[in-house]
Amino acid sequence: MSRNYAGLSRERIILEALHIIAGRGLGGLSMRRLGDALEVEAMAIYHHFPLGKEQLFNAIAAYVTSPGATGDALPEETDDQDGGEPQEDGAEEADTRPWDERLASWADGYRARLLEYSGALSLLVHRAPATPADAAARALVHRAFTDAGVPEGDLDRAADALYAHCLGAVVHQVRHQDDEDAPDAEEAAARFHYGLRALLRGLAA
């Protein structure tokens, strides 16, 4: 087996782990199997994840829920829902769409990512790593709900309800995807949007 670890990165490790999970399930992921798939010794993975499998699981959860994240947690002093991410804030300030269109667009992207990596859904039950991308997304959601007139004291509640709808809808879809009467992809999306519209109307009421 090659000892040339050039090109081995956190993201490459995470993506290969997700590939294994998709084919073998979460229980089929081991550091040895991951090393074989990457054509490196398993110990090379510990260079990027020195705390082992639990650290890798946290990184996978971060990657699945936060586009661009590779599992690096925010420092405690910056783990703040109002903390600024200049590039993200700038992008959001330029978005002049109505608040509900912004949230629907975010929810569509979040749902698509969860579906793409649905084999890792069980990791999200006990893991919600704080990453810069997650903080920026949470700030985006808060700003949209603020524009909708949601009181400041209810922003976290509204955001939690939105996240819960996205995750719950995907879990329900994946759980029943092999049922004989399971909806096709178009109908599953329609049901997701039906619930999303109802949720947003209720939160902004």
Side-chain angles (χ1 to χ4, degrees), residues 2-18:
S2 173
R3 290 179 177 271
N4 181 9
Y5 304 150
L8 188 63
S9 64
R10 289 175 67 91
E11 184 168 14
R12 185 181 167 205
I13 292 169
I14 291 168
L15 288 172
E16 190 58 50
L18 284 166

Side-chain angles (χ1 to χ4, degrees), residues 139-150:
L140 180 154
V141 169
H142 276 206
R143 284 192 294 271
F145 276 128
T146 297
D147 291 347
V150 174

Side-chain angles (χ1 to χ4, degrees), residues 36-136:
D36 288 345
L38 292 165
E39 298 185 337
V40 300
E41 294 179 358
M43 288 305 298
I45 300 170
Y46 286 91
H47 175 74
H48 295 276
F49 298 98
L51 301 182
K53 204 171 184 179
E54 284 301 307
Q55 186 181 15
L56 175 59
F57 281 165
N58 286 336
I60 291 171
Y63 186 86
V64 169
T65 58
S66 302
T70 53
D72 294 317
L74 280 171
E76 290 184 4
E77 63 270 19
T78 63
D79 188 9
D80 187 327
Q81 300 300 342
D82 295 324
E85 284 290 312
Q87 293 182 344
E88 291 291 339
D89 285 348
E92 174 60 18
E93 287 170 2
D95 191 342
T96 59
R97 292 177 298 172
W99 68 271
D100 55 339
E101 289 185 19
R102 279 179 271 152
L103 289 179
S105 178
W106 174 86
D108 277 337
Y110 189 62
R111 171 180 176 265
R113 196 164 178 87
L114 295 178
L115 283 171
E116 181 179 3
Y117 301 117
S118 60
L121 282 175
S122 60
L123 287 177
L124 306 183
V125 174
H126 300 292
R127 292 172 171 81
T131 66
D134 179 69

Side-chain angles (χ1 to χ4, degrees), residues 18-29:
L18 284 166
H19 180 74
I20 293 173
I21 290 171
R24 295 177 174 269
L26 191 60
L29 177 64

